[in-house]
Amino acid sequence: MKSDSEITQLDPALLPTHVAIIMDGNGRWAKKRLQNRVKGHEKGADTVRMVVRISRETGIRFLTLYAFSTENWQRPKTEVSALMTLLNRFLRSELSEMRQNNIRFAVIGETGRLPDSVRIEIDRTIHQTRDNDGMQLTLALSYGGRTEILNAARALADSVLSGKIDVAGIDEQSFSEHLYTSAMPDPELLIRTSGEFRVSNFLLWQIAYSEIYVTNTLWPDFTKEEFIEILKDFQGRERRFGRVGTE
Ligand code: FPP
């Protein structure tokens, strides 16, 4: 298979441990075809399946996908409800694949705002994949980076008021431990589809040093070949973290 040979061209030692993706362009994909936006999301869900499979095959350990932002609640009710239905369908259809492929499932965001039917499916998927350690697939659902940071600030302020920690004890590590992503490394690579140069309130704290790759491809058109090309591009970048280069 073509993708297999392309995957072997990747250097496992230089793979990003954590890849985060802003999946954008479903609506435009549908509009171009004079179809309902929901058709774009449906096709986008197929791309999600492909990206999960390729990530697992390449050996990426953490994949985090921005599936629904806190701002997305403002979309028309019919679109929100179609996205929730798609999500339920995705979780039901992918559970056996996740179990077979040793993938642990996780969610970040204000899950309390999601409909009960989605919460039940999420809990089931988390529970049934909890011992898997091949890769972690995290969906950001009802997620907003600023809210996440505010919640961490509030929790730390509470700990100071109750005398559990000193103000001086608040550092990057303790702050990170109060984020939804406390058990994950920061993403080394952030991919955004559909050509927009925006971060859109995604993982604001965690992407401080991430390499960013923006592609014009609309999410439903994103292919495994392009995904692997982006991973190769990442392997060619020199990551300096604010220091000088190595030569
Ligand atoms: C952006 O496209 C995408 C979303 C708001 C949601 C992402 C959802 C999916 C990929 C499908 C379902 C997800 C899963 C996990 C099964 P947009 O509607 O903002 O596109 P536009 O900017 O072209 O309008």
Side-chain angles (χ1 to χ4, degrees):
M1 246 178 17
K2 193 157 179 257
S3 71
D4 290 338
S5 62
E6 282 174 338
I7 286 172
T8 56
Q9 289 169 22
L10 291 166
D11 179 351
L14 291 176
L15 265 184
T17 305
H18 184 175
V19 175
I21 307 183
I22 301 177
M23 311 182 286
D24 194 16
N26 295 348
R28 270 162 286 172
W29 183 92
K31 196 172 173 200
K32 264 175 49 184
R33 287 163 180 76
L34 304 176
Q35 288 179 349
N36 187 290
R37 295 175 56 81
V38 174
K39 285 278 169 221
H41 296 315
E42 282 172 10
K43 191 76 174 35
D46 292 338
T47 310
V48 171
R49 290 185 179 87
M50 176 279 288
V51 162
V52 172
R53 187 165 51 81
I54 299 297
S55 298
R56 179 70 185 105
E57 283 174 22
T58 52
I60 287 164
R61 301 305 302 269
F62 294 86
L63 174 68
T64 302
L65 304 176
Y66 204 4
F68 195 86
S69 70
T70 43
E71 291 73 27
N72 287 155
W73 289 114
Q74 287 153 34
R75 292 193 175 197
K77 266 203 176 106
T78 47
E79 186 175 343
V80 171
S81 124
L83 278 166
M84 295 301 147
T85 304
L86 261 181
L87 198 57
N88 262 347
R89 210 184 291 162
F90 172 82
L91 292 173
R92 269 189 245 121
S93 68
E94 295 312 288
L95 177 60
S96 61
E97 184 115 347
M98 288 189 226
R99 294 182 69 175
Q100 260 169 33
N101 294 321
N102 196 18
I103 296 172
R104 183 171 58 228
F105 178 71
V107 169
I108 53 173
E110 297 180 294
T111 47
R113 292 182 72 183
L114 297 167
D116 287 348
S117 61
V118 176
R119 290 220 310 267
I120 290 168
E121 220 51 64
I122 287 174
D123 289 347
R124 192 205 320 272
T125 316
I126 291 175
H127 184 74
Q128 298 206 12
T129 63
R130 69 188 187 286
D131 295 326
N132 294 347
D133 60 2
M135 180 179 96
Q136 177 168 311
L137 165 65
T138 305
L139 292 187
L141 294 172
S142 190
Y143 174 88
R146 284 191 175 177
T147 302
E148 179 183 30
I149 290 171
L150 278 175
N151 287 341
R154 288 197 189 108
L156 284 162
D158 260 352
S159 297
V160 171
L161 284 176
S162 61
K164 278 190 226 135
I165 55 167
D166 300 335
V167 169
I170 301 176
D171 55 14
E172 290 193 11
Q173 191 181 330
S174 60
F175 204 92
S176 298
E177 282 163 7
H178 284 79
L179 300 173
Y180 299 127
T181 50
S182 57
M184 305 182 213
D186 289 340
E188 291 100 328
L189 176 61
L190 172 69
I191 300 171
R192 179 168 189 144
T193 57
S194 95
E196 238 70 72
F197 285 79
R198 281 196 290 273
V199 176
S200 299
N201 206 11
F202 190 42
L203 301 177
L204 295 180
W205 171 280
Q206 298 86 339
I207 60 169
Y209 290 103
S210 304
E211 294 294 322
I212 300 181
Y213 194 107
V214 177
T215 169
N216 285 326
T217 307
L218 304 176
W219 179 251
D221 289 330
F222 191 68
T223 60
K224 56 187 174 195
E225 286 77 16
E226 182 167 16
F227 187 29
I228 292 167
E229 276 313 311
I230 293 173
L231 294 174
K232 278 197 218 151
D233 177 89
F234 172 85
Q235 301 203 319
R237 293 193 192 186
E238 188 194 3
R239 306 192 65 222
R240 293 205 301 267
F241 303 95
R243 299 185 293 260
V244 291
T246 44
E247 74 256 32

